[in-house]
Amino acid sequence: MSRKILVADDEPDLKDLIRQIFRSRIKSGEFTFDFAENGAIALEKLKADPEIEVLFTDINMPVMDGLTLLNNIKEDGLVQKAVVISAYGDLKNIRTAMNRGAFDFVTKPIDISDLEATLTKAISEMEVFRKGLDAIKENERLILEQNEILEQQVKERTAEIVQQKEIIVEKNKEILDSIHYAKRLQAAILPPNRQMNELFSQHFTLYMPKDIVAGDFYWMESLGDYIYLVAADCTGHGVSGALMSMLGVSLLSRVVNEKQITEPGEILNALHLSVIAALKQQENETHDGMDILLCRFNKDFSEIHFAGANRPLWLVRNNILEEFKTDKMPVGGLQVEHNSFTTQTLTLIKGDMLYLSTDGYADQFGGEAGKKLMTKKFKEVLAEISGMNMTEQKDHLYKVHEDWRGNNEQVDDILVIGLRLG
């Protein structure tokens, strides 16, 4: 497979130099180079072609400089390895580039061997990164297998226990490393904060995975006359939940963008059938799925259409919280008899405060008696904070959770989204 590398530099001589340095590897098909004369063009090419693995970028360029390009790459959640090639090799530029996500820094005039070594290292890192998610399930299987072997042999071969423990430690490290890669992948599929800011002027998102990766996810899409917003809770948490959440995001995008279904209830109906088909639930006994609330806003925010699976919508107007319940059935799984999901409509006014949430916040054990916080208390907290600004609301919700949890373990992923219309 040919490795794709993008070079962002406004010096025409660099293009010829790169082609000269790597001419044999280009000719053999090992490398494919593309070029952009400034950061803005480079950013569009990176967004358009996810197969680009490495970016070489200058710092000083017209339209968009290299440091701004790095910052935009980071904000957009792009995963290409970026290597800065610049004559401005002072410590300040290097530090700034690294803080903005640069993988390495090569100074001009270019040392050919250094450039080749840096490219090789960057490609190698990308290979590890892209294999990270696939490695999670395999590594998890291996560690479980080693645990079973250890339990079987512990009474008979005490001397081998140390060796088996060492294997377990190594496998645990491999799994943890892979899960951290998966965290980056999962973060990349969530809506970036910049996009949320563009579509909702006042909002907050409290997102607290129980483990490194989460089964809760949120999804947003601006399409035609509508803005779609989803808060979802997949079966399980940790690795299994994260895999379900990535499946959920993929299927939602397909239903809305490819099938062009716009009605919230019909979107959930299609998503339900897609989950059953993707997990082959007609052929096995798995009941994995998700609880979900899907909202569709008119772009003037005069109206909201919504549908849900076991998750309500909460509206605070004039300091009074009103709950709008949705269908009591999940998306996915065959354990519950399914009817069609119902679309509900609300007229919105300026100052309305909307909340979408999964059940993790209300289900947290804590307090003096070690009991669940419960939905009733959660709604009381939301009503109390609804007049605060978005930062204060998020901080207050976090503090209430931490004070309630105390020394107890977090029991589930937590997701709370707040929106003020105005």
Side-chain angles (χ1 to χ4, degrees), residues 33-49:
F33 283 89
D34 194 5
F35 298 88
E37 62 189 23
N38 59 58
I41 296 174
L43 184 62
E44 292 305 315
K45 289 187 179 230
L46 291 173
K47 291 179 179 179
D49 190 353

Side-chain angles (χ1 to χ4, degrees), residues 183-221:
K183 180 181 180 181
R184 292 179 62 184
L185 290 173
Q186 188 175 45
I189 69 172
L190 296 176
N193 195 54
R194 185 174 65 179
Q195 184 185 11
M196 294 283 285
N197 289 336
E198 290 174 353
L199 297 177
F200 298 102
S201 60
Q202 298 185 69
H203 71 91
F204 74 83
T205 301
L206 181 65
Y207 186 57
M208 300 169 58
K210 177 186 182 298
D211 302 308
I212 298 171
V213 289
D216 285 6
F217 72 90
Y218 53 106
W219 177 84
M220 185 170 60
E221 185 69 72

Side-chain angles (χ1 to χ4, degrees), residues 7-282:
V7 181
D9 198 304
D10 62 335
E11 296 182 16
D13 292 343
L14 183 63
K15 182 186 296 187
D16 294 335
L17 178 61
I18 292 290
R19 287 172 172 166
Q20 178 64 22
I21 293 172
F22 297 102
R23 63 185 184 280
S24 61
R25 301 171 82 171
I26 294 172
K27 185 176 181 180
S28 67
E30 181 182 356
F31 290 158
T32 298
F33 283 89
D34 194 5
F35 298 88
E37 62 189 23
N38 59 58
I41 296 174
L43 184 62
E44 292 305 315
K45 289 187 179 230
L46 291 173
K47 291 179 179 179
D49 190 353
E51 293 186 2
I52 295 174
E53 297 186 75
V54 179
L55 166 69
F56 287 142
T57 180
D58 192 8
I59 291 180
N60 189 16
M61 293 184 293
V63 184
M64 181 188 291
D65 62 66
L67 295 179
T68 302
L69 172 59
L70 291 175
N71 196 55
N72 285 334
I73 289 172
K74 187 176 182 180
E75 288 187 357
D76 289 337
L78 302 176
V79 298
Q80 291 89 353
K81 295 293 180 183
V83 177
V84 176
I85 303 178
S86 177
Y88 298 92
D90 57 277
L91 184 59
K92 180 180 178 181
N93 275 323
I94 293 174
R95 184 183 294 114
T96 301
M98 293 305 177
N99 287 339
R100 296 187 182 187
F103 173 71
D104 210 336
F105 198 106
V106 176
T107 58
K108 295 179 180 179
I110 295 173
D111 182 306
I112 294 176
S113 60
D114 182 31
L115 183 65
E116 290 179 327
T118 301
L119 178 57
T120 299
K121 184 170 64 172
I123 289 174
S124 177
E125 287 289 328
M126 280 299 296
E127 286 182 349
V128 173
F129 175 75
R130 287 182 168 173
K131 290 177 180 177
L133 186 60
D134 291 339
I136 292 174
K137 293 181 69 176
E138 177 62 16
N139 287 335
E140 189 175 39
R141 184 188 67 78
L142 290 172
I143 192 64
L144 291 174
E145 183 178 296
Q146 294 297 337
N147 280 335
E148 291 175 359
I149 294 173
L150 178 59
E151 291 173 2
Q152 179 68 26
Q153 295 180 345
V154 67
K155 293 181 180 180
E156 302 174 0
R157 295 175 290 190
T158 304
E160 293 183 7
I161 291 178
V162 173
Q163 180 183 1
Q164 295 297 336
K165 284 184 177 179
E166 290 175 353
I167 293 174
I168 291 173
V169 168
E170 179 62 27
K171 294 302 178 184
N172 277 331
K173 182 179 182 301
E174 292 176 5
I175 291 173
L176 191 60
D177 289 344
S178 296
I179 292 174
H180 278 290
Y181 278 122
K183 180 181 180 181
R184 292 179 62 184
L185 290 173
Q186 188 175 45
I189 69 172
L190 296 176
N193 195 54
R194 185 174 65 179
Q195 184 185 11
M196 294 283 285
N197 289 336
E198 290 174 353
L199 297 177
F200 298 102
S201 60
Q202 298 185 69
H203 71 91
F204 74 83
T205 301
L206 181 65
Y207 186 57
M208 300 169 58
K210 177 186 182 298
D211 302 308
I212 298 171
V213 289
D216 285 6
F217 72 90
Y218 53 106
W219 177 84
M220 185 170 60
E221 185 69 72
S222 176
L223 193 65
D225 296 328
Y226 303 120
I227 298 171
Y228 298 88
L229 181 63
V230 162
D233 180 0
C234 296
T235 303
H237 44 74
V239 173
S240 60
L243 291 172
M244 274 296 298
S245 73
M246 297 182 80
L247 175 65
V249 169
S250 175
L251 294 178
L252 271 170
S253 296
R254 187 179 305 168
V255 169
V256 173
N257 290 296
E258 295 182 15
K259 295 184 179 181
Q260 297 185 349
I261 299 174
T262 60
E263 192 73 18
E266 292 303 315
I267 292 173
L268 294 191
N269 290 333
L271 181 62
H272 174 67
L273 296 176
S274 297
V275 170
I276 291 174
L279 299 181
K280 296 181 174 60
Q281 292 180 331
Q282 296 279 13

Side-chain angles (χ1 to χ4, degrees), residues 348-402:
L348 302 175
I349 63 175
K350 183 177 181 179
D352 281 349
M353 192 73 210
L354 297 175
Y355 295 101
L356 297 74
S357 174
T358 57
D359 61 4
Y361 196 100
D363 284 350
Q364 178 59 51
F365 286 94
E368 294 181 359
K371 295 182 178 180
K372 286 185 179 182
L373 180 76
M374 303 300 290
T375 301
K376 180 181 178 182
K377 174 64 176 176
F378 183 27
K379 291 193 292 184
E380 290 174 358
V381 174
L382 293 178
E384 290 171 3
I385 67 174
S386 60
M388 300 177 182
N389 66 44
M390 299 299 102
T391 299
E392 290 171 340
Q393 289 197 41
K394 180 177 179 179
D395 291 345
H396 190 83
L397 280 173
Y398 178 79
K399 185 177 186 303
V400 169
H401 168 79
E402 290 297 293

